[in-house]
Amino acid sequence: MPNDPNRTPALDRIDRLERIELHRLEVPLVRPFETSFGRETVREVLLVHVVTDSGEGWGECVAGRDPFYSAEYVDGAASVIERYLAPALIETTGRRVGSAADAPAEPVAEGPGSRGASVPLAASVASTLSFVAGHRMAKAALETAVLDAELRAQGRSMGECFGAVRDWVDCGVSVGIASSVDELLDEVAGYVEEGYRRIKLKIKPGWDLVPVGAVRELLGPHGMLQVDANTAYTADDIPLLASLDLFDLLLIEQPFAEEDLATHVRLAEACDTPVCLDESILDRTTAIDAIDRGATSIVNIKPGRMGGYLEALRVHDACRALDVPVWCGGMLETGVGRAANVALAALPGFLLPGDTSASSRYFAEDLTEPFVLGSGEHRGQLRVPDAPGSGVTVREELVRAWASAAPVVITAR
Ligand code: NPQ
Ligand code: MG
């Protein structure tokens, strides 16, 4: 059937998900990372490893140790995967054994040229898991592991699958709340030296106008600068936030609560700096709604928050159709998650540098080959991996060495 848009070479299709392993790790951060919601010194990492009849894949769950950035957190994600999501995925995939006609007919509500068609198993994961409410980060980790396995089996990279249009992506860096302005300036000066093309400062009430003004002075008028409040402000702070217009910021990220689009609309009307939502954007529908209402004019895309890369692609496409720039957020990922983010950031709608920093921003040693900023014309950029799947190799000896608990293995009963 050469004209079938869902056609995939038979050998490239995964017929059986044999095993899902959950690995819990503790990876030390090179320096503490403080935001308006807390301070991290260690990244607690949850990795999903899928073993199929056609090869293996890895996904990183971006949930944090505590439910502060979002309702999801690592113990909750591990539990919902072990108890509900992984068993359902293994059950459903077991039924796929046999002819291609057994494959679920639904899965992707996408138009022609759909990327989902080339990854039939990965594209069916979201609908298989939709019986569980929420838990997008947990679902994303599973879908990404399956996607990685499926693309490795096909010999295709994530960049190719997603529709990457660049070989290198512009990188920014997210800078935590410091104990003094002098310390902050030292840290920012180091990142500028390393080549980062954009600085993002974490802010909170009491740590805003003064540090932002000091960093603007350090960077000069042309340095790209933005701020992220992680929901720390309220409507009473609108005049203060509007006064950030003084500092020529690229955007103000998520000043108010996740559910509170209305106050973001009021701020957008009160200031010239673009308002950008992060926590509030859960999928394509909420992105379009927030844009329509005037609550956001730039969108932070984090696939974990949106339930996976396939939904992130739909958010990208919807924003692009509405002429809304997007950029790729970061969740202190190891190389496993970073690789996929860099591939995503190579899409045409990613018009601002992302929080896709080098491995060394967070870790002395990464779980994969390290991501290192380029030099010369590629100063401040990361190269988009082009090997199959995510394009990186997980150093399984480090997964064992850094384990904080025994792996959990889910198999067919
Ligand atoms: C943001 N990330 O854009 C997030 C927030 C964030 C790079 O600023 C552990 C787990 C620690 C998740 C710290 C960046 C975290 C985390 C910050 C997420 O809002
Ligand atoms: Mg943010």
Side-chain angles (χ1 to χ4, degrees), residues 38-333:
R39 190 170 199 261
E40 306 281 331
T41 54
V42 171
R43 182 64 167 115
E44 287 213 16
V45 176
L46 171 61
L47 294 179
V48 174
H49 183 197
V50 299
V51 179
T52 81
D53 62 337
S54 315
E56 306 184 10
W58 292 84
E60 177 169 352
C61 181
V62 300
R65 181 194 57 216
D66 305 301
F68 298 166
Y69 163 82
S70 70
E72 288 189 83
Y73 68 114
V74 178
D75 285 347
S79 171
V80 79
I81 293 173
E82 180 181 355
R83 295 182 57 190
Y84 299 97
L85 303 177
L89 201 53
I90 287 195
E91 272 295 297
T92 311
T93 313
R95 277 190 258 115
R96 287 170 53 88
V97 177
S99 75
D102 297 339
E106 69 325 283
V108 235
E110 286 174 311
S114 118
R115 303 142 169 128
S118 63
V119 283
L121 181 56
S124 71
V125 171
S127 58
T128 300
L129 303 183
S130 65
F131 74 101
V132 168
H135 291 286
R136 289 181 168 82
M137 294 175 181
K139 292 173 178 175
L142 277 167
E143 185 192 83
T144 307
V146 170
L147 178 64
D148 184 39
E150 199 156 33
L151 290 173
R152 283 177 197 263
Q154 297 173 4
R156 296 168 68 225
S157 68
M158 285 189 184
E160 192 185 334
C161 171
F162 296 164
V165 295
R166 304 181 258 273
D167 297 330
W168 293 79
V169 300
D170 286 355
C171 297
V173 59
S174 177
V175 186
I177 291 163
S179 46
S180 69
V181 170
D182 281 347
E183 255 183 47
L184 176 71
L185 292 177
D186 278 352
E187 186 177 346
V188 170
Y191 294 136
V192 170
E193 180 92 358
E194 287 181 58
Y196 285 104
R197 295 191 175 197
R198 180 225 71 196
I199 300 293
K200 160 168 140 181
L201 300 182
K202 291 294 190 178
I203 59 169
K204 66 176 181 183
W207 182 263
D208 40 40
L209 299 180
V210 172
V212 173
V215 171
R216 168 50 76 204
E217 194 156 313
L218 175 80
L219 296 180
H222 301 299
M224 287 198 271
L225 179 62
Q226 64 192 52
V227 296
D228 185 358
N230 290 110
T231 76
Y233 293 86
T234 68
D236 293 342
D237 299 310
I238 288 176
L240 178 138
L241 292 166
S243 73
L244 287 167
D245 278 351
L246 278 173
F247 304 119
D248 245 316
L249 304 179
L250 288 172
L251 56 89
I252 302 175
E253 184 176 345
Q254 196 78 40
F256 312 117
E258 184 176 320
E259 304 79 3
D260 188 4
L261 291 190
T263 305
H264 288 97
V265 174
R266 285 178 54 198
L267 175 63
E269 287 165 352
C271 71
D272 295 328
T273 307
V275 174
C276 169
L277 291 176
D278 171 357
E279 285 88 332
S280 300
I281 307 296
L282 307 179
D283 56 13
R284 178 179 183 276
T285 304
T286 50
I288 292 173
D289 180 47
I291 293 164
D292 282 348
R293 291 211 230 170
T296 194
S297 53
I298 297 177
V299 171
N300 171 324
I301 292 190
K302 286 179 184 166
R305 203 186 61 228
M306 300 172 173
Y309 286 85
L310 300 180
E311 186 65 17
L313 294 172
R314 295 181 199 114
V315 174
H316 162 270
D317 294 353
C319 290
R320 195 157 178 245
L322 294 169
D323 258 319
V324 168
V326 303
W327 57 280
C328 186
M331 291 290 284
L332 284 59
E333 291 92 345

Side-chain angles (χ1 to χ4, degrees), residues 8-28:
T8 43
L11 287 174
D12 296 341
R13 219 178 91 248
I14 293 172
D15 282 318
R16 238 181 105 70
L17 235 183
E18 288 168 355
R19 189 165 86 240
I20 297 174
E21 297 175 1
L22 303 183
H23 296 272
R24 298 283 300 263
L25 284 66
E26 279 181 4
V27 188

